[in-house]
Structures are given as structure tokens and as C-alpha cells.
Amino acid sequence: MSYEPPSPPANLSTEIAEALNEATPEHLRHVGRYAEALAEHKEREARLEEEADDADVEERPDDLPDDVPAKATITIKEINDNRYYYWQWREGDSVTSKYKAPVNPDE
């Protein structure tokens, strides 16, 4: 009696399928445990991010524009001897700014 090897999922890249086909049974079991743990980690991260986004909505300041996240802070930039307030927040590796208003010289 001969057994056919399992077919890889259709959305699995050829490179990964080939690497798995060359692996030992022990290595495959390690990869399986790692893949399961990684999937759980990513799902947990997504849940935490979603919960944080929900919390941001509840704590949103009244003067915060719709296109500025609740985690934004206000910074002051000086341009041509004039001072301006900007909303500023991090998006991945970059910092994004959005104009808010001029700084009142009396402040």
C-alpha cells in the first residue's frame, strides 16, 4: 500500500512548500509549533491593537480632527520666526504632523 504526501495549501508559496518538503520530521514538528505560537502572537497583537483603537475613540479630545489619531500630541514648530501648533503622531517608523493653529504670542 502506498501513501500520497499531503498537498500544501494553495496560498503557500512554492519556496516554503519546497523547504518544508526537504525538512526532517523533527524539524517539521518544530516548525509546526513555531507557526502555531506565531499565529497566536499575531492574533493577540491584533486584538490588543483593536482594543487600543477602541480606547482611543472613547478618550478623543473635542478639538481633535477626525483624521488625527487620539494618540497624537501637540508640538510647537517655529517657521520664519513664527510659532505654530501641530498635531504630531508616529505611523510605523515615521512621524506625521498636521497643522493645528498659530501660537498666541501672549501664551
Side-chain angles (χ1 to χ4, degrees):
M1 213 194 287
S2 78
Y3 294 100
E4 292 292 319
S7 298
N11 59 352
L12 188 66
S13 76
T14 305
E15 288 176 339
I16 293 174
E18 288 175 359
L20 292 173
N21 282 329
E22 294 173 6
T24 65
E26 182 182 7
H27 189 190
L28 289 171
R29 287 187 184 14
H30 289 298
V31 169
R33 286 190 292 273
Y34 168 73
E36 194 62 38
L38 184 59
E40 288 175 10
H41 170 77
K42 288 186 173 205
E43 288 168 345
R44 184 173 48 251
E45 290 291 312
R47 278 193 310 275
L48 290 173
E49 188 173 313
E50 187 176 306
E51 290 170 6
D53 288 346
D54 291 346
D56 287 348
V57 171
E58 293 170 8
E59 300 168 12
R60 198 168 182 80
D62 293 336
D63 64 340
L64 189 65
D66 290 338
D67 59 343
V68 173
K71 63 183 177 182
T73 59
I74 295 176
T75 60
I76 297 174
K77 293 185 180 186
E78 189 167 326
I79 302 170
N80 296 331
D81 295 327
N82 296 307
R83 297 175 61 196
Y84 303 94
Y85 289 117
Y86 279 82
W87 294 105
Q88 200 168 60
W89 64 97
R90 182 167 291 285
E91 290 181 347
D93 291 338
S94 64
V95 175
T96 303
S97 298
K98 179 173 178 153
Y99 174 78
K100 180 177 178 354
V103 174
N104 183 341
D106 297 333
E107 292 180 0

